Amino acid sequence: MKVAIGGPLKLAFRPWVEGVENIPAEGPAILASNHLSFSDSFFLPAVLDRKVTFIAKAEYFTTPGVKGRMTAAFFKGVGQLPVDRSGARGAGEAAIKSGIEVLERGELFGIYPEGTRSPDGRLYRGKPGGLARVALATGAPVIPVAMIDTEKIQPPGQVVPKLMRPGIRIGKPLDFTRYQGMEHDRFVLRAVTDEVMYEIMKLSGQEYVDMYATAMKRQLAEAAKAEKEAEKAEKEAEKAARAAVARADKEQAEKVRAAMEQTDRGQTGRPSEP
């Protein structure tokens, strides 16, 4: 997959990279990145010599049919691990277990602390569960990563990517071994996550939003739904108004016609003058 996908990807998009020397030549490490596009999970591994393992939703591996089998083979080939997201807590535990297993093998584990793609290109609050717990459970260093402009290449819903140069900035490793054994302390998890997000913000230059991206997506979806409903109500009101005008015009026309008919009858029934 490095040859089949990584080579053409680098040749076509020519991504620029800063800080690649911060990736250890061997041993476990966590790559914590912002998440702007579906393509983030391909650009980052493409520019590194080492394999990077991310987690992916189980639907990519279980979809039936020829297309489903091809998709599953592709994601397995690029090192993605399936995680069932049907239950929020179960999904989180599965992601943590998967990350720990990857790091115990001495490999690189990639994770998006925001938990989902940014809906508007800004950097959102990191979720304290997965990243911090994996880091504290394994003692692996956390390397902050900033993806630059990948959302412009392939916005959500766009199938064919736009040819332009994305960027990748890789920061210096962060050591959280001072907190080992405290992976169940929510205040420690929050502190570790916030420190990583601050480093990502400095690398990416993104505006930081102190709320979860999932909450923002819900707000945007609700706003879009309300706007759609308002537009529908407005169209229905306009339709009702046009219908009312049409009825009034029809009634007026009928009144005029009735008056004219009455006039005609009066003129027809008038006696002739001598």
Side-chain angles (χ1 to χ4, degrees):
M1 282 296 174
K2 283 281 190 182
V3 175
I5 302 297
L9 202 66
K10 289 191 288 184
L11 183 64
F13 293 93
R14 299 180 299 116
W16 55 266
V17 188
E18 295 177 358
V20 71
E21 67 277 4
N22 292 320
I23 303 293
E26 58 183 18
I30 302 169
L31 303 183
S33 173
N34 60 339
H35 198 12
L36 297 172
S37 169
F38 175 78
S39 60
D40 293 337
S41 300
F42 304 109
F43 279 113
L44 180 56
V47 301
L48 302 179
D49 293 331
R50 297 184 61 185
K51 175 184 176 181
V52 183
T53 300
F54 288 88
I55 54 176
K57 59 183 180 181
E59 290 85 346
Y60 287 143
F61 300 82
T62 58
T63 303
V66 176
K67 183 179 179 181
R69 289 195 295 270
M70 292 177 63
T71 301
F74 174 78
F75 277 95
K76 289 176 183 177
V78 295
Q80 308 288 297
L81 295 175
V83 173
D84 184 1
R85 305 195 304 181
S86 58
R89 185 173 180 81
E93 293 300 325
I96 291 167
K97 181 180 178 182
S98 298
I100 292 174
E101 290 174 352
V102 169
L103 294 167
E104 286 179 344
R105 295 197 299 265
E107 300 175 2
L108 299 178
F109 177 60
I111 189 169
Y112 301 112
E114 293 169 279
T116 186
R117 281 176 284 180
S118 171
D120 53 17
R122 296 184 294 177
L123 183 68
Y124 284 81
R125 195 181 194 200
K127 293 190 173 183
L131 167 64
R133 285 182 60 187
V134 170
L136 300 186
T138 62
V142 179
I143 302 174
V145 177
M147 306 300 295
I148 312 293
D149 290 337
T150 53
E151 81 282 10
K152 298 176 183 177
I153 292 176
Q154 191 177 23
Q158 180 173 318
V159 178
V160 180
K162 178 182 178 182
L163 283 176
M164 60 178 293
R165 293 190 73 186
I168 303 172
R169 288 198 182 100
I170 303 171
K172 295 184 180 299
L174 303 174
D175 182 6
F176 295 108
T177 54
R178 62 190 183 277
Y179 295 125
Q180 274 195 277
M182 304 174 70
E183 58 266 25
H184 298 293
D185 187 321
R186 63 188 181 92
F187 296 105
V188 170
L189 297 179
R190 182 76 267 163
V192 169
T193 306
D194 287 346
E195 184 174 339
V196 174
M197 298 309 295
Y198 179 71
E199 293 300 321
I200 294 175
M201 181 186 69
K202 289 197 301 183
L203 291 169
S204 68
Q206 291 171 279
E207 177 186 348
Y208 180 75
V209 183
D210 192 22
M211 68 180 297
Y212 294 126
T214 49
M216 175 57 74
K217 284 186 175 182
R218 283 196 299 270
Q219 287 186 10
L220 293 174
E222 290 171 358
K225 182 180 178 181
E227 184 179 357
K228 188 175 181 180
E229 290 176 350
E231 289 178 354
K232 182 180 179 181
E234 184 178 355
K235 287 180 180 179
E236 290 178 349
E238 290 177 354
K239 183 179 179 181
R242 287 195 298 269
V245 170
R247 284 196 302 271
D249 289 344
K250 183 178 180 181
E251 290 173 359
Q252 183 65 26
E254 289 176 351
K255 288 180 181 179
V256 171
R257 186 170 59 252
M260 291 177 65
E261 289 176 353
Q262 185 175 3
T263 301
D264 289 342
R265 285 197 300 272
Q267 290 177 349
T268 303
R270 183 183 304 169
S272 301
E273 295 182 1

